[in-house]
Amino acid sequence: MITRRTLIRNAAASSAALMLPQTVWANAAMTIGTMQIDTLSDGQLTLPPAMTFGDLPATELAPILQQYGIAPDQTLTPDCNVTLVRDGERTILFDVGAGPDFMSSAGKLAEAFDALGVSADEITHVVFTHAHPDHLWGLLDDFDDPVFPNATYLIGKAEWDYWINPNTVDTIDTGRTTFAVGAKRRLETLEDNITFFNDGEEIFPNIAARGTFGHTPGHMAFQLGAGTDSVMILGDCIGNHHVAFARPDWASGSDQDADLGIKTRTMLLDQLAAEQMHLIGFHLPYPGIGRAEKQGDNYVFVPA
Ligand SMILES: [Zn+2]
């Protein structure tokens, strides 16, 4: 069940002062069984278009971008949607946002918590989809202290093994060296407080991990609930609302293994559309909640 709730807009004056696009810290809520689900905005990424569109066939790409009102050479500012699940004694956060050290347009999660009236102290569990900066670096504050002091942490075993490996900084493509250094440093702070899980495991009642590898080696999505009353927290395995849906068979520049990313995205979209399951995408337009609908051979994102 989905209900759109409060929309809290930042005063134009304060966002102008920060030279940021107007930011919406709104939350939209849905419930599944006893689970209350909200998405919180961590702000936006600021990406050069080449990163997303650089290797795609220009003539086929143009009409798709036009359909979504995107110029091929414009800076992209995808939203970052962190998911909060409250269920009885558990208050679970899926990813922690970018924190203070990644991009000035992201790392706004504290403001979203304020808007929602939830305190970081209340988080009992943090679950990671993957360890890219915009999902992990919000773990620590400006002083390198933990932002969620009362939380225990969970991550897919393969994802942990990849980023904690001291060789990853040498084997990762050079454009992502800082990702490797930043992930290892932050994950090391969790070494005594982390639980691992694998594909298919039920990590909490009614929450199952789903191996969705390709974007990163151990990327995980999470299915909450079952049947028609369910939602999939996607993380980044379907990374935008335009080309990822319109041409899931195209390589994504943000996937570390592009071929595996295609396989994962195609399989997942097929299932999401067939079962009409709700989805929450980390980089889909805020609040990131909707469905995938089949359109010809491909798909469209339908916001909830
Ligand atoms: Zn991301």
Side-chain angles (χ1 to χ4, degrees):
M1 183 186 74
I2 296 202
T3 49
R4 188 65 60 89
R5 294 196 319 179
T6 40
L7 282 176
I8 302 160
R9 281 172 195 278
N10 231 13
S14 66
S15 31
L18 292 166
M19 298 297 287
L20 292 172
Q22 190 189 18
T23 308
V24 181
W25 307 123
N27 63 86
M30 59 189 296
T31 55
I32 290 184
T34 56
M35 291 182 277
Q36 157 86 30
I37 302 162
D38 291 277
T39 58
L40 289 77
S41 175
D42 189 47
Q44 291 94 28
L45 298 183
T46 307
L47 302 177
M51 190 181 280
T52 308
F53 303 134
D55 295 327
L56 300 179
T59 48
E60 288 179 81
L61 175 64
I64 296 171
L65 294 187
Q66 195 176 17
Q67 194 184 330
Y68 289 92
I70 300 168
D73 57 350
Q74 84 179 57
T75 298
L76 299 176
T77 55
D79 286 316
C80 298
N81 308 312
V82 173
T83 304
L84 181 77
V85 176
R86 287 176 278 184
D87 187 10
E89 290 175 356
R90 281 182 293 274
T91 300
I92 309 164
L93 195 62
F94 289 83
D95 294 334
V96 293
D101 299 327
F102 185 51
M103 281 182 181
S104 60
S105 56
K108 311 297 180 190
L109 193 60
E111 290 161 66
F113 267 106
D114 286 348
L116 192 62
V118 173
S119 150
D121 294 352
E122 294 172 48
I123 302 299
T124 58
H125 300 85
V126 168
V127 182
F128 295 108
T129 60
H130 65 298
H132 277 169
D134 50 322
H135 301 255
L136 172 75
W137 289 15
L139 186 62
L140 303 176
D141 66 14
D142 278 323
F143 305 97
D144 269 0
D145 288 326
V147 172
F148 307 99
N150 300 318
T152 55
Y153 295 82
L154 298 91
I155 194 170
K157 183 70 169 74
E159 188 71 1
W160 174 272
D161 287 347
Y162 175 74
W163 294 105
I164 209 73
N165 184 340
N167 297 324
T168 293
V169 67
D170 299 318
T171 56
I172 200 166
D173 63 284
T174 49
R176 292 191 175 93
T177 307
T178 55
F179 288 19
V181 174
K184 186 167 188 297
R185 180 170 89 75
R186 286 168 181 83
L187 291 176
E188 278 170 350
T189 69
L190 302 179
E191 263 167 336
D192 298 326
N193 186 17
I194 190 122
T195 302
F196 304 122
F197 55 85
N198 292 298
D199 178 24
E201 269 181 49
E202 194 176 44
I203 59 170
F204 298 107
N206 273 318
I207 302 180
R210 170 79 174 264
T212 38
F213 311 137
H215 182 70
T216 61
H219 187 285
M220 289 284 182
F222 302 92
Q223 184 176 339
L224 280 54
T228 50
D229 199 18
S230 62
V231 63
M232 185 84 78
I233 298 173
L234 296 173
D236 283 4
C237 58
I238 302 172
N240 59 60
H241 64 294
H242 35 82
V243 289
F245 283 81
R247 290 303 300 263
D249 57 323
W250 280 353
S252 164
S254 70
D255 289 349
Q256 290 189 219
D257 181 333
D259 291 339
L260 190 52
I262 289 169
K263 218 180 265 182
T264 294
R265 193 160 48 245
T266 308
M267 197 188 310
L268 207 54
L269 279 166
D270 183 57
Q271 183 196 350
L272 290 168
E275 298 180 10
Q276 282 300 291
M277 191 187 292
H278 279 99
L279 57 86
I280 300 176
F282 195 88
H283 295 300
L284 301 184
Y286 188 88
I289 304 175
R291 286 179 298 105
E293 216 155 76
K294 187 117 185 152
Q295 197 174 71
D297 289 336
N298 294 305
Y299 302 89
V300 285
F301 173 60
V302 180

